[in-house]
Amino acid sequence: MRRTVHRHLGKVVAGAAIAVAGTAVMVGITLPGTAGADESGGTGKAAGSDRQQAADGQGAAPGVVQQAPAEGEKGKGRDPLTDDETQRVERIAVNQQLLNSSENVEGKRGPQRLDVELANPGPSELDNPNAPRRADVTFYDYKDDTVVTKTVNLDTGKVEQTGTQHGVQPPASHAEDVEAAELLLASPLGAGLKADYKDATGNELTSPDQLLLTAMVYKATPGRQSGDLDQCGEHRCVRLFPKVKNGPWIDARDFVIDLSARKVGKLTG
């Protein structure tokens, strides 16, 4: 791990991302900031952290059910969701039952919000310019490793459909990236990350806030990894790609953080 960062520091401090790009091509993975791609030994998807950071700031507070706010600014037709619409559908989707029966990435009450997007119109509504606007809200329930998707009708303020899936792993949210970094820093396996950060900056690494974080969901190939990592895919697992702010990437791709079990493992072979 430390050899990679030293190479970046010695040769391409200003162009660290280019150096990492060359490394990523050799190992057959996709760099943060590009489209998600399958990776050897698992399946990873880039998280799109800028979009997720902005969206995560709009979620309802964990453990609190709030009355659906006034409609506020509304889009029309296939316009992207407005901020008001996004906030409103999130609050509508998290009813008391879901709040009490689910857990987020920190183990607190309420599901982990992943994404909110405009839903596709129904087959009979494709040519109807006045078709209702709907939004799909996707959550991850860490209590039983379930993806929950709710479709909210923006005109009526009602949940029209709820779907649950097991063994499905959408891209990670920024909140999950941060929690993964917290777990890695607290683990003995995070010692190399801390050492590389100190080499790059001269300072101690004590918080994920000191890094720019991107994660890829990791799904294990059955039988390839021993121990707890075999459960990745059923469990919510990610690989981190941390970057020193205004500095180089740090190579942490050998480590897998199991967010469901709150454990850190190392890839072998």
Side-chain angles (χ1 to χ4, degrees):
M1 185 189 223
R2 297 186 64 183
R3 287 196 300 272
T4 300
V5 173
H6 291 164
R7 183 170 67 250
H8 294 168
L9 292 175
K11 295 184 179 180
V12 281
V13 174
I18 298 174
V20 176
T23 303
V25 169
M26 290 188 289
V27 299
I29 62 172
T30 303
L31 271 178
T34 62
D38 289 350
E39 59 183 298
S40 177
T43 300
K45 293 185 178 179
S49 57
D50 289 343
R51 174 182 59 79
Q52 289 161 346
Q53 288 184 44
D56 283 331
Q58 299 166 357
V64 177
V65 174
Q66 302 182 35
Q67 184 177 358
E71 291 187 5
E73 185 182 357
K74 295 176 63 177
K76 296 181 179 179
R78 300 302 296 162
D79 289 345
L81 294 171
T82 67
D83 289 345
D84 288 333
E85 287 176 322
T86 298
Q87 294 176 21
R88 182 167 179 256
V89 299
E90 283 188 55
R91 290 180 169 89
I92 292 170
V94 184
N95 58 19
Q96 193 70 44
Q97 180 181 359
L98 180 59
L99 178 72
N100 291 334
S101 65
S102 59
E103 289 182 2
N104 66 15
V105 68
E106 297 178 348
K108 297 178 180 177
R109 192 172 63 140
Q112 181 63 49
R113 201 281 305 229
L114 300 183
D115 193 24
V116 181
E117 60 184 7
L118 190 68
N120 291 323
S124 63
E125 300 171 340
L126 292 175
D127 297 324
N128 181 0
N130 298 315
R133 279 169 63 81
R134 300 179 179 89
D136 289 331
V137 191
T138 305
F139 302 96
Y140 197 88
D141 182 359
Y142 277 89
K143 194 167 188 176
D144 58 2
D145 285 298
T146 302
V147 174
V148 179
T149 303
K150 294 200 173 193
T151 301
V152 177
N153 186 313
L154 288 160
D155 294 336
T156 65
K158 303 294 184 181
V159 175
E160 293 187 342
Q161 186 174 350
T162 299
T164 59
Q165 295 174 288
H166 291 275
V168 175
Q169 297 295 340
S173 67
H174 179 66
E176 291 173 309
D177 296 352
V178 172
E179 189 65 18
E182 290 273 15
L183 291 171
L184 181 56
L185 289 175
S187 167
L189 293 175
L193 173 61
K194 294 176 182 178
D196 289 340
Y197 184 87
K198 188 166 186 179
D199 286 344
T201 67
N203 299 318
E204 300 292 337
L205 176 59
T206 59
S207 168
D209 293 340
Q210 296 168 258
L211 298 166
L212 297 177
L213 296 170
T214 304
M216 287 181 174
V217 168
Y218 176 80
K219 187 174 181 179
T221 300
R224 180 163 182 173
Q225 294 294 329
S226 60
D228 292 337
L229 295 187
D230 255 347
Q231 300 179 62
C232 290
E234 289 297 324
H235 283 189
R236 183 84 161 148
C237 300
V238 298
R239 296 168 74 182
L240 276 178
F241 295 82
K243 185 181 184 298
V244 177
K245 291 183 177 180
N246 300 315
W249 299 91
I250 298 178
D251 187 354
R253 59 180 172 237
D254 285 345
F255 304 109
V256 174
I257 299 94
D258 185 334
L259 293 168
S260 300
R262 303 188 64 79
K263 295 179 179 179
V264 180
K266 186 174 183 179
L267 295 173
T268 59

